[in-house]
Amino acid sequence: MRRPRVLSRHVAEAAPGVLAGPRWRWLAATSLPVLALALTLLGGCASMGDHSGAPSTSPSTTVTPALPAGSVIGGNLWSPRMEERRLAVVQASGGTGIGVVRTADNQLKLTLPTDAAFDLGRSELKPSVRPALDEASRDLDEQVRITIVGHTDSSAGDAVNGPLSLDRAETVREYLVHHGVRRGRLLVEGRGGRQPVASNATEAGRAANRRIEIFLSQPAS
């Protein structure tokens, strides 16, 4: 590229009339806009070179997705109230061995070890587990349904285990009804020793199999 001719200080001083003449004024008027345009383009290129291709992270362009109020899995809604209930039951069940979990299909599940809830071979509910049941049933939404399933170990035959598991499940149901839960919202089953969660060959396994499972579910529709 041909380098622009630059007038030295000596030339400028030697010919002040030339620089002040009409020809010089015409040159300045036509060259300055071109120079300004060139500087603008160069500045834009430099600005583009500062970006590495990464998106802007300024607050004005950052989008935070809104969190849903609840999720639906397996046809069941896990609402904020259900989560609050789970936390309340966990706190109320401290020291009793009651398990409190959210299931994969959005049900609140309580597992009552029958050794903590009942005397051996009996179906009267012990006071120690009542606070957890109170929190599980307190101010239930009308849509919530409760299923109570009784389980035993295999140390006795089905003739004993079946009725005993059902009697204990019905005891839990009657307690909840007495504390304000409408009977029509409650389903009760007694499955005896048919669904063990551990080996019946050990005392620890048999103790784990003796349980009451309570499921609270809220259908999404």
mmCIF file with all atom_site columns, all heavy atoms in Angstrom, residues 136-152:
data_model
loop_
_atom_site.group_PDB
_atom_site.id
_atom_site.type_symbol
_atom_site.label_atom_id
_atom_site.label_alt_id
_atom_site.label_comp_id
_atom_site.label_asym_id
_atom_site.label_entity_id
_atom_site.label_seq_id
_atom_site.pdbx_PDB_ins_code
_atom_site.Cartn_x
_atom_site.Cartn_y
_atom_site.Cartn_z
_atom_site.occupancy
_atom_site.B_iso_or_equiv
_atom_site.pdbx_formal_charge
_atom_site.auth_seq_id
_atom_site.auth_comp_id
_atom_site.auth_asym_id
_atom_site.auth_atom_id
_atom_site.pdbx_PDB_model_num
ATOM 1   N N   . ALA A 1 136 ? -48.488 -37.054 59.766 1.00 0.00 ? 136 ALA A N   1
ATOM 2   C CA  . ALA A 1 136 ? -48.815 -37.580 58.439 1.00 0.00 ? 136 ALA A CA  1
ATOM 3   C C   . ALA A 1 136 ? -50.250 -37.276 58.044 1.00 0.00 ? 136 ALA A C   1
ATOM 4   O O   . ALA A 1 136 ? -50.549 -37.099 56.849 1.00 0.00 ? 136 ALA A O   1
ATOM 5   C CB  . ALA A 1 136 ? -48.582 -39.086 58.401 1.00 0.00 ? 136 ALA A CB  1
ATOM 6   N N   . SER A 1 137 ? -51.145 -37.180 59.021 1.00 0.00 ? 137 SER A N   1
ATOM 7   C CA  . SER A 1 137 ? -52.563 -37.010 58.718 1.00 0.00 ? 137 SER A CA  1
ATOM 8   C C   . SER A 1 137 ? -53.076 -35.605 58.997 1.00 0.00 ? 137 SER A C   1
ATOM 9   O O   . SER A 1 137 ? -54.253 -35.323 58.742 1.00 0.00 ? 137 SER A O   1
ATOM 10  C CB  . SER A 1 137 ? -53.377 -38.004 59.557 1.00 0.00 ? 137 SER A CB  1
ATOM 11  O OG  . SER A 1 137 ? -53.162 -37.798 60.953 1.00 0.00 ? 137 SER A OG  1
ATOM 12  N N   . ARG A 1 138 ? -52.233 -34.707 59.445 1.00 0.00 ? 138 ARG A N   1
ATOM 13  C CA  . ARG A 1 138 ? -52.696 -33.377 59.834 1.00 0.00 ? 138 ARG A CA  1
ATOM 14  C C   . ARG A 1 138 ? -53.087 -32.530 58.608 1.00 0.00 ? 138 ARG A C   1
ATOM 15  O O   . ARG A 1 138 ? -52.294 -32.349 57.696 1.00 0.00 ? 138 ARG A O   1
ATOM 16  C CB  . ARG A 1 138 ? -51.603 -32.660 60.625 1.00 0.00 ? 138 ARG A CB  1
ATOM 17  C CG  . ARG A 1 138 ? -52.068 -31.366 61.278 1.00 0.00 ? 138 ARG A CG  1
ATOM 18  C CD  . ARG A 1 138 ? -50.886 -30.632 61.917 1.00 0.00 ? 138 ARG A CD  1
ATOM 19  N NE  . ARG A 1 138 ? -50.129 -31.505 62.798 1.00 0.00 ? 138 ARG A NE  1
ATOM 20  C CZ  . ARG A 1 138 ? -50.452 -31.773 64.063 1.00 0.00 ? 138 ARG A CZ  1
ATOM 21  N NH1 . ARG A 1 138 ? -51.547 -31.226 64.585 1.00 0.00 ? 138 ARG A NH1 1
ATOM 22  N NH2 . ARG A 1 138 ? -49.701 -32.573 64.797 1.00 0.00 ? 138 ARG A NH2 1
ATOM 23  N N   . ASP A 1 139 ? -54.315 -32.007 58.616 1.00 0.00 ? 139 ASP A N   1
ATOM 24  C CA  . ASP A 1 139 ? -54.782 -31.070 57.580 1.00 0.00 ? 139 ASP A CA  1
ATOM 25  C C   . ASP A 1 139 ? -54.495 -31.578 56.165 1.00 0.00 ? 139 ASP A C   1
ATOM 26  O O   . ASP A 1 139 ? -53.919 -30.874 55.333 1.00 0.00 ? 139 ASP A O   1
ATOM 27  C CB  . ASP A 1 139 ? -54.136 -29.696 57.773 1.00 0.00 ? 139 ASP A CB  1
ATOM 28  C CG  . ASP A 1 139 ? -54.486 -29.083 59.121 1.00 0.00 ? 139 ASP A CG  1
ATOM 29  O OD1 . ASP A 1 139 ? -55.627 -29.297 59.583 1.00 0.00 ? 139 ASP A OD1 1
ATOM 30  O OD2 . ASP A 1 139 ? -53.630 -28.391 59.696 1.00 0.00 ? 139 ASP A OD2 1
ATOM 31  N N   . LEU A 1 140 ? -54.916 -32.787 55.879 1.00 0.00 ? 140 LEU A N   1
ATOM 32  C CA  . LEU A 1 140 ? -54.658 -33.365 54.560 1.00 0.00 ? 140 LEU A CA  1
ATOM 33  C C   . LEU A 1 140 ? -55.477 -32.655 53.488 1.00 0.00 ? 140 LEU A C   1
ATOM 34  O O   . LEU A 1 140 ? -56.638 -32.285 53.704 1.00 0.00 ? 140 LEU A O   1
ATOM 35  C CB  . LEU A 1 140 ? -55.016 -34.851 54.552 1.00 0.00 ? 140 LEU A CB  1
ATOM 36  C CG  . LEU A 1 140 ? -54.051 -35.822 55.229 1.00 0.00 ? 140 LEU A CG  1
ATOM 37  C CD1 . LEU A 1 140 ? -54.636 -37.226 55.193 1.00 0.00 ? 140 LEU A CD1 1
ATOM 38  C CD2 . LEU A 1 140 ? -52.697 -35.791 54.565 1.00 0.00 ? 140 LEU A CD2 1
ATOM 39  N N   . ASP A 1 141 ? -54.868 -32.449 52.327 1.00 0.00 ? 141 ASP A N   1
ATOM 40  C CA  . ASP A 1 141 ? -55.630 -31.992 51.169 1.00 0.00 ? 141 ASP A CA  1
ATOM 41  C C   . ASP A 1 141 ? -56.683 -33.042 50.832 1.00 0.00 ? 141 ASP A C   1
ATOM 42  O O   . ASP A 1 141 ? -56.467 -34.251 51.001 1.00 0.00 ? 141 ASP A O   1
ATOM 43  C CB  . ASP A 1 141 ? -54.712 -31.773 49.964 1.00 0.00 ? 141 ASP A CB  1
ATOM 44  C CG  . ASP A 1 141 ? -53.744 -30.622 50.178 1.00 0.00 ? 141 ASP A CG  1
ATOM 45  O OD1 . ASP A 1 141 ? -54.038 -29.761 51.021 1.00 0.00 ? 141 ASP A OD1 1
ATOM 46  O OD2 . ASP A 1 141 ? -52.697 -30.592 49.504 1.00 0.00 ? 141 ASP A OD2 1
ATOM 47  N N   . GLU A 1 142 ? -57.793 -32.588 50.325 1.00 0.00 ? 142 GLU A N   1
ATOM 48  C CA  . GLU A 1 142 ? -58.912 -33.488 50.062 1.00 0.00 ? 142 GLU A CA  1
ATOM 49  C C   . GLU A 1 142 ? -58.553 -34.570 49.045 1.00 0.00 ? 142 GLU A C   1
ATOM 50  O O   . GLU A 1 142 ? -59.113 -35.670 49.069 1.00 0.00 ? 142 GLU A O   1
ATOM 51  C CB  . GLU A 1 142 ? -60.122 -32.682 49.570 1.00 0.00 ? 142 GLU A CB  1
ATOM 52  C CG  . GLU A 1 142 ? -61.378 -33.500 49.365 1.00 0.00 ? 142 GLU A CG  1
ATOM 53  C CD  . GLU A 1 142 ? -61.867 -34.175 50.645 1.00 0.00 ? 142 GLU A CD  1
ATOM 54  O OE1 . GLU A 1 142 ? -61.625 -33.619 51.735 1.00 0.00 ? 142 GLU A OE1 1
ATOM 55  O OE2 . GLU A 1 142 ? -62.481 -35.258 50.545 1.00 0.00 ? 142 GLU A OE2 1
ATOM 56  N N   . GLN A 1 143 ? -57.600 -34.274 48.144 1.00 0.00 ? 143 GLN A N   1
ATOM 57  C CA  . GLN A 1 143 ? -57.256 -35.229 47.089 1.00 0.00 ? 143 GLN A CA  1
ATOM 58  C C   . GLN A 1 143 ? -56.347 -36.357 47.580 1.00 0.00 ? 143 GLN A C   1
ATOM 59  O O   . GLN A 1 143 ? -56.181 -37.364 46.890 1.00 0.00 ? 143 GLN A O   1
ATOM 60  C CB  . GLN A 1 143 ? -56.566 -34.509 45.925 1.00 0.00 ? 143 GLN A CB  1
ATOM 61  C CG  . GLN A 1 143 ? -57.418 -33.464 45.223 1.00 0.00 ? 143 GLN A CG  1
ATOM 62  C CD  . GLN A 1 143 ? -57.420 -32.137 45.961 1.00 0.00 ? 143 GLN A CD  1
ATOM 63  O OE1 . GLN A 1 143 ? -56.699 -31.955 46.944 1.00 0.00 ? 143 GLN A OE1 1
ATOM 64  N NE2 . GLN A 1 143 ? -58.214 -31.200 45.474 1.00 0.00 ? 143 GLN A NE2 1
ATOM 65  N N   . VAL A 1 144 ? -55.715 -36.201 48.732 1.00 0.00 ? 144 VAL A N   1
ATOM 66  C CA  . VAL A 1 144 ? -54.732 -37.184 49.201 1.00 0.00 ? 144 VAL A CA  1
ATOM 67  C C   . VAL A 1 144 ? -55.425 -38.472 49.625 1.00 0.00 ? 144 VAL A C   1
ATOM 68  O O   . VAL A 1 144 ? -56.444 -38.456 50.332 1.00 0.00 ? 144 VAL A O   1
ATOM 69  C CB  . VAL A 1 144 ? -53.908 -36.601 50.363 1.00 0.00 ? 144 VAL A CB  1
ATOM 70  C CG1 . VAL A 1 144 ? -52.991 -37.678 50.961 1.00 0.00 ? 144 VAL A CG1 1
ATOM 71  C CG2 . VAL A 1 144 ? -53.081 -35.411 49.889 1.00 0.00 ? 144 VAL A CG2 1
ATOM 72  N N   . ARG A 1 145 ? -54.866 -39.583 49.181 1.00 0.00 ? 145 ARG A N   1
ATOM 73  C CA  . ARG A 1 145 ? -55.357 -40.911 49.557 1.00 0.00 ? 145 ARG A CA  1
ATOM 74  C C   . ARG A 1 145 ? -54.274 -41.629 50.358 1.00 0.00 ? 145 ARG A C   1
ATOM 75  O O   . ARG A 1 145 ? -53.081 -41.415 50.147 1.00 0.00 ? 145 ARG A O   1
ATOM 76  C CB  . ARG A 1 145 ? -55.719 -41.726 48.311 1.00 0.00 ? 145 ARG A CB  1
ATOM 77  C CG  . ARG A 1 145 ? -56.873 -41.116 47.508 1.00 0.00 ? 145 ARG A CG  1
ATOM 78  C CD  . ARG A 1 145 ? -58.180 -41.156 48.293 1.00 0.00 ? 145 ARG A CD  1
ATOM 79  N NE  . ARG A 1 145 ? -59.296 -40.568 47.563 1.00 0.00 ? 145 ARG A NE  1
ATOM 80  C CZ  . ARG A 1 145 ? -59.697 -39.307 47.704 1.00 0.00 ? 145 ARG A CZ  1
ATOM 81  N NH1 . ARG A 1 145 ? -59.050 -38.493 48.523 1.00 0.00 ? 145 ARG A NH1 1
ATOM 82  N NH2 . ARG A 1 145 ? -60.733 -38.860 47.032 1.00 0.00 ? 145 ARG A NH2 1
ATOM 83  N N   . ILE A 1 146 ? -54.695 -42.526 51.255 1.00 0.00 ? 146 ILE A N   1
ATOM 84  C CA  . ILE A 1 146 ? -53.766 -43.230 52.137 1.00 0.00 ? 146 ILE A CA  1
ATOM 85  C C   . ILE A 1 146 ? -53.987 -44.731 52.012 1.00 0.00 ? 146 ILE A C   1
ATOM 86  O O   . ILE A 1 146 ? -55.127 -45.211 52.105 1.00 0.00 ? 146 ILE A O   1
ATOM 87  C CB  . ILE A 1 146 ? -53.949 -42.802 53.610 1.00 0.00 ? 146 ILE A CB  1
ATOM 88  C CG1 . ILE A 1 146 ? -53.756 -41.289 53.759 1.00 0.00 ? 146 ILE A CG1 1
ATOM 89  C CG2 . ILE A 1 146 ? -52.973 -43.549 54.512 1.00 0.00 ? 146 ILE A CG2 1
ATOM 90  C CD1 . ILE A 1 146 ? -53.989 -40.780 55.173 1.00 0.00 ? 146 ILE A CD1 1
ATOM 91  N N   . THR A 1 147 ? -52.911 -45.451 51.786 1.00 0.00 ? 147 THR A N   1
ATOM 92  C CA  . THR A 1 147 ? -52.936 -46.911 51.736 1.00 0.00 ? 147 THR A CA  1
ATOM 93  C C   . THR A 1 147 ? -52.088 -47.452 52.874 1.00 0.00 ? 147 THR A C   1
ATOM 94  O O   . THR A 1 147 ? -50.932 -47.025 53.051 1.00 0.00 ? 147 THR A O   1
ATOM 95  C CB  . THR A 1 147 ? -52.400 -47.434 50.393 1.00 0.00 ? 147 THR A CB  1
ATOM 96  O OG1 . THR A 1 147 ? -53.186 -46.900 49.330 1.00 0.00 ? 147 THR A OG1 1
ATOM 97  C CG2 . THR A 1 147 ? -52.457 -48.954 50.343 1.00 0.00 ? 147 THR A CG2 1
ATOM 98  N N   . ILE A 1 148 ? -52.612 -48.362 53.641 1.00 0.00 ? 148 ILE A N   1
ATOM 99  C CA  . ILE A 1 148 ? -51.920 -48.940 54.805 1.00 0.00 ? 148 ILE A CA  1
ATOM 100 C C   . ILE A 1 148 ? -51.785 -50.440 54.564 1.00 0.00 ? 148 ILE A C   1
ATOM 101 O O   . ILE A 1 148 ? -52.792 -51.154 54.361 1.00 0.00 ? 148 ILE A O   1
ATOM 102 C CB  . ILE A 1 148 ? -52.702 -48.688 56.105 1.00 0.00 ? 148 ILE A CB  1
ATOM 103 C CG1 . ILE A 1 148 ? -53.010 -47.191 56.268 1.00 0.00 ? 148 ILE A CG1 1
ATOM 104 C CG2 . ILE A 1 148 ? -51.933 -49.209 57.309 1.00 0.00 ? 148 ILE A CG2 1
ATOM 105 C CD1 . ILE A 1 148 ? -54.043 -46.892 57.336 1.00 0.00 ? 148 ILE A CD1 1
ATOM 106 N N   . VAL A 1 149 ? -50.534 -50.919 54.578 1.00 0.00 ? 149 VAL A N   1
ATOM 107 C CA  . VAL A 1 149 ? -50.262 -52.323 54.273 1.00 0.00 ? 149 VAL A CA  1
ATOM 108 C C   . VAL A 1 149 ? -49.503 -52.944 55.444 1.00 0.00 ? 149 VAL A C   1
ATOM 109 O O   . VAL A 1 149 ? -48.427 -52.456 55.822 1.00 0.00 ? 149 VAL A O   1
ATOM 110 C CB  . VAL A 1 149 ? -49.446 -52.476 52.973 1.00 0.00 ? 149 VAL A CB  1
ATOM 111 C CG1 . VAL A 1 149 ? -49.280 -53.964 52.641 1.00 0.00 ? 149 VAL A CG1 1
ATOM 112 C CG2 . VAL A 1 149 ? -50.119 -51.743 51.820 1.00 0.00 ? 149 VAL A CG2 1
ATOM 113 N N   . GLY A 1 150 ? -50.057 -54.038 55.990 1.00 0.00 ? 150 GLY A N   1
ATOM 114 C CA  . GLY A 1 150 ? -49.398 -54.744 57.071 1.00 0.00 ? 150 GLY A CA  1
ATOM 115 C C   . GLY A 1 150 ? -48.576 -55.913 56.562 1.00 0.00 ? 150 GLY A C   1
ATOM 116 O O   . GLY A 1 150 ? -48.996 -56.625 55.636 1.00 0.00 ? 150 GLY A O   1
ATOM 117 N N   . HIS A 1 151 ? -47.376 -56.108 57.148 1.00 0.00 ? 151 HIS A N   1
ATOM 118 C CA  . HIS A 1 151 ? -46.478 -57.205 56.774 1.00 0.00 ? 151 HIS A CA  1
ATOM 119 C C   . HIS A 1 151 ? -45.977 -57.887 58.048 1.00 0.00 ? 151 HIS A C   1
ATOM 120 O O   . HIS A 1 151 ? -45.823 -57.251 59.091 1.00 0.00 ? 151 HIS A O   1
ATOM 121 C CB  . HIS A 1 151 ? -45.269 -56.696 55.984 1.00 0.00 ? 151 HIS A CB  1
ATOM 122 C CG  . HIS A 1 151 ? -45.614 -55.989 54.717 1.00 0.00 ? 151 HIS A CG  1
ATOM 123 N ND1 . HIS A 1 151 ? -45.771 -56.647 53.515 1.00 0.00 ? 151 HIS A ND1 1
ATOM 124 C CD2 . HIS A 1 151 ? -45.818 -54.666 54.458 1.00 0.00 ? 151 HIS A CD2 1
ATOM 125 C CE1 . HIS A 1 151 ? -46.051 -55.758 52.555 1.00 0.00 ? 151 HIS A CE1 1
ATOM 126 N NE2 . HIS A 1 151 ? -46.084 -54.557 53.107 1.00 0.00 ? 151 HIS A NE2 1
ATOM 127 N N   . THR A 1 152 ? -45.678 -59.177 57.936 1.00 0.00 ? 152 THR A N   1
ATOM 128 C CA  . THR A 1 152 ? -45.080 -59.929 59.036 1.00 0.00 ? 152 THR A CA  1
ATOM 129 C C   . THR A 1 152 ? -43.846 -60.673 58.526 1.00 0.00 ? 152 THR A C   1
ATOM 130 O O   . THR A 1 152 ? -43.535 -60.638 57.334 1.00 0.00 ? 152 THR A O   1
ATOM 131 C CB  . THR A 1 152 ? -46.075 -60.954 59.610 1.00 0.00 ? 152 THR A CB  1
ATOM 132 O OG1 . THR A 1 152 ? -46.340 -61.944 58.615 1.00 0.00 ? 152 THR A OG1 1
ATOM 133 C CG2 . THR A 1 152 ? -47.381 -60.286 60.025 1.00 0.00 ? 152 THR A CG2 1
#
